Amino acid sequence: MKIAIIGTGYVGLVTGACLAAKGHNVTCIDNNQEIVEKINRLQMPIYEPGLEDILKKVMASGNLTVTTDLRSAVLISDISIVAVGTPFGDGDIDLSYIEESSREIGTVIREKDDYHIVCIKSTVVPCTTDTLVKNCLIATSGKNLGDFGLTMNPEFLREGKAVEDFMYPDRIVIGAYDNKSFAVMKKVYAGLFDAPIIQVNLRTAEMI
């Protein structure tokens, strides 16, 4: 599958590299040109055991590319995975990066005729995906939910063990707006990982 991942931080880069290693065609997007250039030079912006070796292989094979061009990446992709930061401070979570990414993706979905899945992988509070994200996508795409898919796929990555945790999960949780969204998102993992794939609703996935 063709997958766009917005965010090249801890979750985004590990997810992108590992999915590319499993055979998907992945484009990682970051709006920081310096970070993109650094990754393209195979200079790690983060340290995670095993990540550098995987990146070298998947970038050499062409399965993973890194760019600042969100529009082009989403246009050619089946799924957009949002893995931007959600900083927490002063008793509140900052969802501004989630909102910005959702609006940008929606603008691109407006141009697409094919069914596109938006997946939230960032850590968010329950009710974020089916309210904030959904509303931003509908407003900017001009389409209704169902014309595009919406999912939430929580990450279970431990620092220092992230590559191992991703490649050898004990379960894969997919929160989905509807069965069609789930069916498409399931194709990302089906047959590639020896773990049960659990379908839940969006808010349960966020809680997990």
Side-chain angles (χ1 to χ4, degrees):
M1 300 186 75
K2 294 181 179 180
I3 301 170
I5 298 181
I6 295 85
T8 60
Y10 193 81
V11 174
L13 194 57
V14 170
T15 298
C18 291
L19 289 179
K22 288 292 187 178
H24 293 295
N25 190 321
V26 179
T27 304
C28 285
I29 304 112
D30 201 293
N31 59 11
N32 188 318
Q33 182 69 43
E34 184 178 349
I35 290 176
V36 168
E37 291 175 355
K38 189 173 185 178
I39 298 171
N40 281 322
R41 293 194 300 266
L42 295 175
Q43 297 174 357
M44 299 298 99
I46 59 172
Y47 175 72
E48 186 59 43
L51 181 59
E52 185 174 359
D53 289 340
I54 292 176
L55 274 176
K56 287 179 179 178
K57 291 177 183 176
V58 296
M59 293 186 79
S61 70
N63 276 15
L64 177 69
T65 56
V66 186
T67 182
T68 58
D69 190 351
L70 181 145
R71 177 180 175 275
S72 295
V74 174
L75 275 175
I76 65 170
S77 298
D78 307 301
I79 297 171
S80 293
I81 296 177
V82 178
V84 297
T86 51
F88 188 85
D90 297 325
D92 202 4
I93 189 171
D94 182 357
L95 297 174
S96 59
Y97 298 118
I98 292 283
E99 181 175 358
E100 180 182 356
S101 298
S102 299
R103 290 187 178 280
E104 290 181 4
I105 293 168
T107 300
V108 183
I109 289 177
R110 177 184 287 271
E111 303 178 49
K112 293 171 65 83
D113 294 325
D114 55 322
Y115 184 75
H116 190 86
I117 292 285
V118 179
C119 172
I120 301 301
K121 201 166 183 67
S122 303
T123 299
V124 296
V125 294
C127 303
T128 300
T129 306
D130 65 357
T131 56
L132 175 67
V133 174
K134 180 193 74 174
N135 292 340
C136 288
L137 290 168
I138 290 173
T140 53
S141 70
K143 298 181 180 181
N144 293 318
L145 189 53
D147 297 327
F148 60 88
L150 187 59
T151 63
M152 200 282 161
N153 179 213
E155 55 90 7
F156 306 103
L157 306 181
R158 297 170 294 168
E159 189 170 346
K161 297 282 187 180
V163 171
E164 179 182 341
D165 287 344
F166 194 99
M167 298 298 266
Y168 303 100
D170 58 9
R171 81 278 196 203
I172 296 164
V173 176
I174 299 174
Y177 164 72
D178 57 13
N179 288 331
K180 185 177 181 180
S181 297
F182 174 76
V184 176
M185 191 67 198
K186 184 179 179 181
K187 293 178 182 178
V188 174
Y189 298 105
L192 300 178
F193 297 86
D194 185 20
I197 299 175
I198 302 168
Q199 179 179 4
V200 297
N201 62 39
L202 294 169
R203 295 186 182 185
T204 299
E206 291 167 326
M207 182 66 75
I208 291 171

